[in-house]
Amino acid sequence: MNLRLLSERVINCKLCPRLVAYTSEVASRKVRRFSHWEYWGRPVPSFGDPEATIMIVGLAPAAHGGNRTGRMFTGDHSGEWLFKALHEVGLANKSTSISRDDGLQVKGVYITAVVHCAPPDNKPLPQEVENCLNYLREELHLLNRVKVIVALGRLAFDQLCKIYGVKGRFSHGSSVTLPDGRLLIASYHPSARNTNTGKMSWDQWVWVFRRAKELSG
Ligand code: DU
C-alpha cells in the first residue's frame, strides 16, 4: 500500500450507502451560488506532502465545500481559516484554496479527515466513522515522518485517542504524547459555529499551527 493507492481506494469507496447516496444527491442538486460547478460528489481524498511531519485531521468534507471541489477543506469557511493560517505560519504557498487545481501547495503538512464523505448535517453515524477509520490508520502508518498530529474538533481528537488507545482531555491547545512518540494537539474546529461566535479567535487558531511547526521541526 502507498499513499496514491490509498487515495484511489478512498475515492472509489462505497462502504457507507447513506453517504454514497447523499454526496451524489448534493452533487446533482447543488446550491444556486455554485450552480455552474461540476461537483465532485464522491469521497474526498486527503491532500498534501507525502513527507509531512505535521498531519491535520478534520471531521469530514462539507457538502458544498470538499464535496464540490474534490479537495479537503477547499471551498468552504473552515478551509478559508485553515489555509490562511497555514500560509501565515509558512506552511502553504497561498492563503486561499478555491479549487483542486488552483496551485495550492502545503509544505510538510498532510490534510485528512476522520470521514472522507460529506455527511448529512455534518454528522456522520458511528458506523460510518468506524468504516472510514481504517483509511486514517493506514495514513498514520504510511506517513512515517509525522511528528505532530493536529485534531480539528472533538470527534477527530477522540477518534485519534481511540486509535492510539490513550485517554486525552479535549480543549483548545491541549496535547497528549502518543505511544509512538508523536504529539497529538487538540484544536477547536474552524467551523463558522466556532469562529463567528468568538469561541475561537484568530490568534488562538494560528497559535496551534505555530506550535505544530515548532514541535515538528
Ligand atoms: O501530483 P502530486 O505531486 O502527487 O501532488 C498532488 C497534489 O498534492 C498537488 O495538488 C499538490 C499537493 N502537494 C502539496 O501540497 N505538497 C507537497 O509537498 C506535495 C504535493
Side-chain angles (χ1 to χ4, degrees), residues 4 47-51 71 100 104-109:
R4 209 170 277 280
F47 169 75
D49 186 350
E51 314 277 294
R71 194 170 67 194
R100 65 177 186 281
L104 172 72
Q105 278 211 309
V106 289
K107 197 80 216 128
V109 172

Side-chain angles (χ1 to χ4, degrees), residues 84-105:
K84 195 169 170 214
L86 292 179
H87 183 249
E88 191 165 313
V89 305
L91 294 171
N93 68 338
K94 281 155 59 96
S95 60
T96 57
S97 175
I98 297 156
S99 69
R100 65 177 186 281
D101 55 5
D102 62 3
L104 172 72
Q105 278 211 309

Side-chain angles (χ1 to χ4, degrees), residues 38-52:
E38 180 145 352
Y39 274 52
W40 177 256
R42 281 176 284 166
V44 179
S46 305
F47 169 75
D49 186 350
E51 314 277 294

